[in-house]
Amino acid sequence: MRLSLWTYEGPPHIGAMRIASSLRNVHYVLHAPQGDTYADLLFTMIERQGRRPPVTYTTFQARDLGADTAELVMDTVRDSVQRFQPEVLLVGESCTAELLQDQPGALASQLQLDIPIVPVELPAYSRKENWGASETFYQIVRSLLRNSETPERNADAPAVNILGPADLCFRARDNALEISRLLESVGVRVNVVAPLGATPADLLNIPAAQANICLYPEVASTVCRWLERQFGQTTIHTVPLGVSATQQFLAELGEALGITLPEPPTDSRLPWYSRSVDSTYLTGKEVFVFGDATHACAAARIATHELGFKVVGLGTYAREFAKPVRALAEELGVPALVTDDYMEVEQAIAAAGPELVLGTQMERHIAKRLGIPCAVICAPFHVEDCPARYSPTMGHEGANVLFDTWVHPLMMGLEEHLLGMFRGDFEFGNDVQPSHLGHGGGVSTDVGVTVESLGTEAEQDAGRAEQDPAAASADDTIVWTDAASAELQRVPFFVRRKAARNTELYAQEQGISRIEVETLYDAKAHFAS
């Protein structure tokens, strides 16, 4: 474990908290110091839930360390059960409390309470948040079902469980609903959705289904493997992200259930647009993809096969799921980036020079600094990626949402370029922006201060370098002529930085120290060949 300004995943007890918050009639007693209660903000500020997560902290302080903190754990467990009346109690510890070695799960089990106690023992210094969520979900299901018998199943009424949707999973609420509707449309009943919204009674009913849909593998893969061994339930591994994956998902589902599924109704406009003449503007756009393994692989396939983009970088922060990412990266002919260091990711994006970044909230910050459009495709995400409206990313409607989210930044980039091209026209003068309401509706320029006079000299230089990449040459020995700099400004802004970098790279290779207009076009021809 190391200190970091940003982190893709928190410690494993945050993952346990996500599972506790997703379930109903379950409470989590967390042995933790007062400062570790910050995690509540993840649910109330990002997902904007109207309730606190069902977690009670022991909140020991420095002065308690000289006393018996084990007694504090047992008192907190008793009080929590009496106050919240849960059907199942989870007991665990934060990374700080792990150093005390109080073993709160064992202490709670000694109290002989009349409800199931599930000790959540998570190695805080070797594992992270998604593993913590997966292990906690597995421990709860295993604890409740380990003595259950395999029930009789009605083959004429196929049913499946949707496993994996949880709080702080990307669009979990909407994706669970969208896939439930898709299954209903082809005559397959949803038996249980878990952990999101499920009660302990629902979890006890999981074996009644013929198959399990592993909708979020980072959360549900461990549970699905155990259910296969324990109850012989088939697992549907395809995650329906994109049009092709949704069709493959239905094919795998029909094969697992041994039935022929009807063609579902679909209103996905992504395939139509990909065949339309307007989409030629998007063909070959270079995209860098980074996120959890499931979403990163799905995004790379959608970008390549459904939108005609070119993937120039692919990576994940989830080392446990790195194998499929490496395999897909090799298939696409790009290096696989497996790291949880956002600075390495920034270096890789800057080197690749993509026209669009698909990633997490961290990649959005990185792309903003580099002046590249970005769309968030998975956790970690911010409040703006957790909309109040219905906005799934899976199934056919999810394909529409992905299309809008990814394509619009590129189309807006084209609009900005066109505005830049016509800025010299009298209707788009730099001094006065005309109004259709007449002269009185224009923007007054008599404000007693110019834009250039605002900010420090360093800030102005940084702003000019952002507008003119040639002004911030990576090699001080290379000089851009005024004519070449002017010609560079005619390049669309969203690829201007890349054009400048390629030109300088070409100049270095050719031993050119002074970039002329001809050098700019020679470099373009060189890299286009």
Side-chain angles (χ1 to χ4, degrees):
M1 178 175 285
R2 67 177 184 272
L3 293 176
S4 178
L5 177 64
W6 288 343
T7 180
Y8 288 97
E9 296 181 81
H13 74 266
I14 301 297
M17 190 180 299
R18 288 169 50 194
I19 301 303
S21 177
S22 302
L23 293 166
R24 299 292 175 263
N25 304 333
V26 170
H27 200 78
Y28 183 27
V29 172
L30 184 63
H31 190 31
Q34 204 161 20
D36 282 358
T37 59
Y38 72 91
D40 286 16
L41 298 177
L42 296 173
F43 303 90
T44 57
M45 293 185 67
I46 295 180
E47 287 212 337
R48 294 174 290 187
Q49 295 181 353
R51 59 183 177 84
R52 282 190 62 251
V55 180
T56 298
Y57 303 88
T58 57
T59 58
F60 61 83
Q61 301 179 42
R63 64 173 179 267
D64 298 320
L65 299 181
D68 188 359
T69 52
E71 189 64 33
L72 177 62
V73 171
M74 292 190 284
D75 289 343
T76 304
V77 168
R78 292 190 194 94
D79 293 344
S80 298
V81 171
Q82 183 177 1
R83 178 182 177 185
F84 297 104
Q85 299 292 310
E87 296 177 16
V88 172
L89 185 71
L90 309 181
V91 182
E93 57 194 346
S94 72
C95 48
T96 310
E98 184 178 328
L99 300 173
L100 300 179
Q101 298 184 347
D102 280 334
Q103 298 183 322
L107 292 173
S109 300
Q110 295 175 11
L111 297 177
Q112 298 182 343
L113 301 172
D114 57 357
I115 61 172
I117 305 292
V118 180
V120 182
E121 297 178 358
L122 308 173
Y125 295 95
S126 60
R127 296 290 189 168
K128 294 192 175 181
E129 179 182 333
N130 280 336
W131 185 89
S134 175
E135 182 67 13
T136 300
F137 186 35
Y138 163 69
Q139 291 293 347
I140 295 172
V141 172
R142 183 175 180 273
S143 177
L144 294 176
L145 293 177
R146 60 188 168 191
N147 296 322
S148 299
E149 300 291 335
T150 302
E152 293 291 333
R153 299 169 181 141
N154 186 357
D156 296 328
V160 297
N161 302 312
I162 298 177
L163 303 182
D167 287 350
L168 295 178
C169 284
F170 195 69
R171 308 285 172 87
R173 176 200 63 188
D174 297 345
N175 285 337
L177 179 56
E178 180 67 18
I179 299 309
S180 295
R181 290 173 175 174
L182 176 63
L183 294 172
E184 181 182 353
S185 71
V186 296
V188 176
R189 181 175 63 87
V190 176
N191 181 52
V192 172
V193 176
L196 191 66
T199 64
D202 293 328
L203 299 183
L204 289 170
N205 194 38
I206 284 178
Q210 281 92 337
N212 296 308
I213 296 171
C214 190
L215 203 62
Y216 288 84
E218 282 77 8
V219 173
S221 57
T222 303
V223 163
C224 288
R225 287 195 297 269
W226 184 78
L227 292 171
E228 283 181 4
R229 298 192 302 269
Q230 191 76 3
F231 301 106
Q233 292 176 309
T234 305
T235 300
I236 311 302
H237 294 283
T238 302
V239 180
L241 280 160
V243 175
S244 298
T246 300
Q247 294 170 344
Q248 183 180 345
F249 165 79
L250 291 172
E252 184 180 354
L253 177 64
E255 183 178 352
L257 297 178
I259 59 177
T260 301
L261 298 177
E263 189 71 22
T266 174
D267 189 30
S268 179
R269 279 157 286 197
L270 187 153
W272 166 81
Y273 189 87
S274 296
R275 294 191 300 267
S276 72
V277 66
D278 289 342
S279 70
T280 56
Y281 164 70
L282 304 174
T283 303
K285 289 293 184 183
E286 296 185 345
V287 183
F288 192 101
V289 184
F290 191 88
D292 67 45
T294 299
H295 287 86
C297 288
R301 291 191 177 97
I302 296 168
T304 303
H305 302 301
E306 299 184 24
L307 291 172
F309 295 162
K310 179 183 178 182
V311 174
V312 295
L314 175 62
T316 182
Y317 58 80
R319 296 183 183 276
E320 296 92 343
F321 292 85
K323 186 175 180 179
V325 176
R326 289 195 174 99
L328 181 57
E330 183 177 359
E331 179 184 325
L332 296 174
V334 297
L337 178 64
V338 180
T339 180
D340 59 359
D341 186 340
Y342 65 91
M343 290 185 288
E344 289 185 31
V345 180
E346 181 166 356
Q347 291 172 355
I349 293 174
E355 295 156 272
L356 176 68
V357 175
L358 303 175
T360 72
Q361 172 67 12
M362 250 90 89
E363 281 66 54
R364 196 211 309 270
H365 287 304
I366 291 169
K368 185 179 294 185
R369 285 199 300 276
L370 297 176
I372 305 171
C374 178
V376 173
I377 61 170
C378 66
F381 54 88
H382 211 307
V383 61
E384 62 188 286
D385 302 303
C386 191
R389 68 184 184 279
Y390 182 64
S391 186
T393 57
M394 296 183 184
H396 293 120
E397 183 59 26
N400 289 333
V401 172
L402 292 178
F403 171 79
D404 286 344
T405 308
W406 300 3
V407 169
H408 287 174
L410 294 171
M411 301 304 290
M412 291 306 294
L414 175 62
E415 180 178 306
E416 291 287 341
H417 173 53
L418 293 175
L419 288 173
M421 287 176 60
F422 292 102
R423 191 162 286 137
D425 191 279
F426 73 94
E427 291 191 49
F428 294 92
N430 289 327
D431 295 331
V432 178
Q433 296 299 323
S435 169
H436 294 288
L437 298 176
H439 295 294
V443 179
S444 173
T445 59
D446 186 17
V447 293
V449 63
T450 63
V451 174
E452 287 76 17
S453 68
L454 298 177
T456 65
E457 184 177 348
E459 289 170 340
Q460 294 171 30
D461 290 341
R464 283 192 291 270
E466 184 69 25
Q467 295 175 1
D468 183 6
S473 174
D475 189 342
D476 294 337
T477 64
I478 294 178
V479 177
W480 286 71
T481 64
D482 291 342
S485 293
E487 189 68 15
L488 181 64
Q489 294 304 309
R490 298 179 59 185
V491 177
F493 79 92
F494 44 88
V495 291
R496 190 177 301 152
R497 184 186 299 273
K498 183 176 182 180
R501 185 171 59 252
N502 285 348
T503 303
E504 292 178 359
L505 180 61
Y506 174 79
Q508 290 174 356
E509 292 175 352
Q510 302 297 321
I512 298 171
S513 59
R514 183 179 175 85
I515 295 179
E516 307 280 356
V517 173
E518 292 76 10
T519 313
L520 191 63
Y521 283 97
D522 288 344
K524 178 182 178 183
H526 173 76
F527 286 102
S529 60

